[in-house]
Amino acid sequence: MALDVPTLNSLGFAKPPAETRVVVAMSGGVDSSVVAAQLAEEGYDVVGVTLQLYDHGAALAKKGACCAGLDIHDARRVAEDMGFPHYVLDYENIFKDAVIDEFADSYLAGATPVPCIRCNERVKFKDLLETAKDLEADCMATGHYIQRKMGEHGPELHSAEDANRDQSYFLFSTTPEQLDYLRFPLGHLPSKDATRELAARYGLQVADKPDSQDICFVPNGNYAQVIEKLRPGAAEPGEIVHADGRVLGTHNGVIHYTIGQRRGLGIGGLDEPLYVVRLDVDAKQVIVGPKDLLSTRTIPVREINWLGDTPFDSRPEWHVSVKVRSTRPPREAIIRPLSATEAEVELLTPEEGVSPGQACVFYQTDGSRILGGGWIWRG
């Protein structure tokens, strides 16, 4: 006698959509709006949640930043049009403690932080995910461009179908437990155009809304200005020093420079092009030198989140590909675990401008699977 195998719905549950509650994290942008509208149309019990992350007064009029007052209005309107409940949660204090303060401190320490990763890790996929469980949701869906696929050992994280939209670099710290609960309905789409076509099909007024470009609390892209506001007196002047020890000029604050920077150094009349190769915050020095000093082969990585099928430190080395900047393609590397959460990464081809504070994300070399990642530090 044939056994009845329960049919799974599109979110992977063996029950009708109407009996499946899903919390959708809605930023007010086109991506999360399409996710919410699509799931509502499929008949799911959708609950929209938008996070108020910082003081909107400053950013309300700025285009290109997410989570501002206008975005809350846009998210609410989508929920009204599609007929599902929508809540706004005030996460300003949590966001400041978990994301903004660390951003300021690590920037002042000469690092180049990636606050969007910390926001996913410490706010969206932690506190918001707990809220979704409190609302008795079966899962939480987001508008991120990344794929969740079922593997032999459970859910796996994979790059988005569209390499140009892939957000895996910002989601490497998603834990296996979180991955079990999360869903990413847009990851399989071929392009952003496909998302906008869906938005038009659902009649969403955000269909043509521009993408957010900046970090939400740095709406004009001026990091130094934000740091000065958060940490008054941070922009103290100092010397611009050549790697060979020569003092070449002065600067008005280490926070105005990043590793690998060439333009705007304010030191003209030199024969060779110079780049920022190091920032010495304690000595208030910006160290510059020729391009070859930017090349790095060995990278110390810590706070590793491992998504492989066997324990990270169960073997002496892993042959993978890694990304050291969100805008760069993965490059082949060897990871040598030092513990369950620390490792030394050896790049087979040296990379330029590897900076403390950035993430180092691990990828399967001949596939789309993300194996985790960690944070680059000085060692």
Side-chain angles (χ1 to χ4, degrees):
M1 193 175 89
L3 289 172
D4 281 341
V5 180
T7 327
L8 300 181
N9 62 32
S10 65
L11 293 175
F13 297 99
K15 52 184 177 179
E19 291 170 26
T20 308
R21 176 170 293 175
V22 51
V23 161
V24 180
M26 298 181 71
S27 68
V30 65
D31 299 326
S32 54
S33 297
V34 164
V35 168
Q38 187 171 21
L39 294 173
E41 194 192 53
E42 285 177 28
Y44 286 97
D45 177 9
V46 172
V47 179
V49 175
T50 301
L51 302 182
Q52 179 169 319
L53 294 177
Y54 68 106
D55 176 20
H56 301 124
L60 197 54
K62 306 274 198 321
K63 278 210 166 74
C66 72
C67 316
L70 178 67
D71 295 320
I72 290 176
H73 172 73
D74 287 343
R76 187 176 283 139
R77 197 166 57 185
V78 169
E80 276 172 15
D81 290 348
M82 298 303 294
F84 58 83
H86 175 256
Y87 301 99
V88 178
L89 304 181
D90 182 353
Y91 272 38
E92 278 191 40
N93 290 343
I94 293 172
F95 186 67
K96 186 177 183 306
D97 294 346
V99 181
I100 296 182
D101 284 344
E102 186 195 66
F103 169 82
D105 293 340
S106 64
Y107 208 87
L108 284 176
T112 312
V114 194
C116 303
I117 298 176
R118 288 299 197 198
C119 181
N120 289 327
E121 175 190 323
R122 296 176 174 175
V123 181
K124 292 177 183 166
F125 292 176
K126 185 170 170 256
D127 294 289
L128 178 56
L129 198 133
E130 287 307 315
T131 300
K133 289 179 176 175
D134 291 342
L135 291 168
E136 296 178 357
D138 294 282
C139 63
M140 181 170 107
T142 78
H144 288 107
Y145 287 88
I146 194 163
Q147 297 189 81
R148 174 190 184 276
K149 296 182 177 182
M150 287 309 289
E152 210 180 314
H153 299 274
E156 299 172 353
L157 206 56
H158 287 258
S159 301
E161 191 64 37
D162 177 8
N164 295 320
R165 306 297 312 177
D166 177 59
Q167 288 174 293
S168 57
Y169 184 84
F170 300 100
L171 296 166
F172 80 84
S173 60
T174 307
T175 65
E177 297 75 38
Q178 291 167 344
L179 194 53
D180 206 40
Y181 194 69
L182 289 163
R183 300 293 186 273
F184 309 107
L186 301 183
H188 67 285
L189 293 180
S191 69
K192 179 75 178 216
D193 289 345
T195 309
R196 292 197 184 279
E197 282 165 21
L198 284 172
R201 200 179 94 200
Y202 298 129
L204 303 182
Q205 295 183 42
V206 292
D208 298 320
K209 187 173 177 176
D211 291 345
S212 56
Q213 301 297 336
D214 300 315
I215 293 168
C216 65
F217 58 91
V218 192
N220 56 0
N222 188 336
Y223 289 26
Q225 199 179 10
V226 171
I227 304 294
E228 277 212 84
K229 205 163 142 189
L230 292 167
R231 301 283 185 273
E236 292 181 14
E239 295 174 333
I240 298 176
V241 183
H242 194 285
D244 65 13
R246 287 177 291 149
V247 175
L248 301 178
T250 57
H251 63 77
N252 59 356
V254 172
I255 60 169
H256 297 288
Y257 298 84
T258 53
I259 305 276
Q261 180 179 335
R262 184 185 166 191
R263 300 188 192 287
L265 299 183
I267 41 171
L270 296 159
D271 299 337
E272 57 175 348
L274 294 176
Y275 299 78
V276 176
V277 296
R278 202 158 56 82
L279 298 170
D280 187 333
V281 177
D282 297 332
K284 300 186 179 62
Q285 288 183 337
V286 173
I287 295 98
V288 297
K291 196 175 187 182
D292 58 357
L293 287 182
L294 282 172
S295 283
T296 307
R297 189 183 277 279
T298 308
I299 307 171
V301 178
R302 62 183 174 184
E303 284 185 70
I304 287 169
N305 178 54
W306 180 245
L307 293 171
D309 297 328
T310 53
F312 180 57
D313 50 3
S314 62
R315 56 163 91 166
E317 53 183 51
W318 297 89
H319 291 251
V320 298
S321 292
V322 303
K323 254 190 191 195
V324 293
R325 280 257 162 117
S326 62
T327 50
R328 295 194 186 162
R331 301 276 169 86
E332 286 192 51
I334 298 166
I335 306 174
R336 297 188 177 90
L338 301 172
S339 71
T341 58
E342 287 189 89
E344 193 174 81
V345 175
E346 184 193 339
L347 302 171
L348 301 195
T349 312
E351 280 261 18
E352 287 171 359
V354 174
S355 176
Q358 295 277 314
C360 178
V361 181
F362 314 150
Y363 296 81
Q364 200 175 18
T365 296
D366 296 317
S368 59
R369 188 173 177 189
I370 294 115
L371 296 169
W375 295 91
I376 299 168
W377 65 300
R378 285 197 174 74

